[in-house]
Amino acid sequence: MNNTRKRSSMMVRLVAVLAVTMMFTMCFVGGTFAKYTSSATGTDSATVAKWSFKVGETDIATTDTFTFDLFKTIKDSNGTDNETDISPDDGTIIAPGTQGSFDLVLKNESQVTAQYAIDYTVTNNNDIPVKFSVDGGSNWTNDLADVAASDSTKLAANSGTTTIKVQWKWDFNGSDDSFDTALGIGGNAVLTVKAEVTATQVD
């Protein structure tokens, strides 16, 4: 009988141990799978700002030449009538008493503010007495000074526009007609004007 009681007591203890073990196991397993979890993703992107600066209809961002038909604007001595007394009248020939002007239309089509400068180069090996102006005719010079970069030469993004009028004239010299006549007799004097427009992004 004592053996039977001992076995029963051992069984009770074993069952108790198994029960406690199962409780600990359930708590451990429950702690493993029952937890908070969160996730999040942030995304950003940007595109490169457009760069486009036009002189007339030419985008100098994609090409290094533009139309500068300064002498094809030739007018008579009064400055308004078309010159009809010179042959050919295609703007490749100039003479005393003629004048003209050409508009450099600058347009910033970029998505950034741009600053421009214009560098003029005059080649006049025969001293043809042509004068130039870039300030509406207030000042005339035998050469052309640079239009320096400054705050006044900034063009706003997305269609900031300005127009620079380049004027030229060959006045009748009056008492010095002999000089003009000598140039005409030679017939081979050449005057060349180059305008270089540079556009730069403003920080």
Side-chain angles (χ1 to χ4, degrees), residues 92-197:
T92 61
I93 302 294
I94 61 175
T98 59
Q99 59 181 295
S101 65
F102 183 83
D103 288 340
L104 286 172
V105 180
L106 311 181
K107 185 176 183 180
N108 179 24
E109 295 190 345
S110 306
Q111 292 176 309
V112 295
T113 300
Q115 191 168 44
Y116 70 87
I118 307 175
D119 180 33
Y120 301 98
T121 302
V122 177
T123 304
N124 187 6
N125 297 331
N126 298 96
D127 296 324
I128 303 171
V130 171
K131 295 183 178 181
F132 304 94
S133 177
V134 291
D135 62 3
S138 297
N139 296 286
W140 292 88
T141 177
N142 293 326
D143 204 344
L144 282 166
D146 294 354
V147 177
S150 66
D151 288 344
S152 63
T153 62
K154 289 181 180 179
L155 294 181
N158 301 315
S159 76
T161 305
T162 191
T163 299
I164 308 296
K165 182 181 291 293
V166 183
Q167 295 176 267
W168 66 272
K169 65 178 180 178
W170 185 350
D171 289 328
F172 288 121
N173 285 330
S175 61
D176 197 18
D177 288 344
S178 59
F179 183 80
D180 292 347
T181 302
L183 290 173
I185 291 173
N188 55 7
V190 177
L191 173 64
T192 302
V193 180
K194 180 177 71 174
E196 181 179 3
V197 178

Side-chain angles (χ1 to χ4, degrees), residues 49-64:
K50 175 185 176 182
W51 177 246
S52 174
F53 195 95
K54 287 187 175 180
V55 181
E57 297 300 317
T58 302
D59 191 346
I60 64 172
T62 58
T63 185
D64 58 1

Side-chain angles (χ1 to χ4, degrees), residues 8-23:
S8 297
S9 177
M10 288 179 62
M11 287 295 294
V12 170
R13 291 176 182 173
L14 181 60
V15 170
V17 169
L18 287 173
V20 171
T21 301
M22 288 180 64
M23 288 177 61

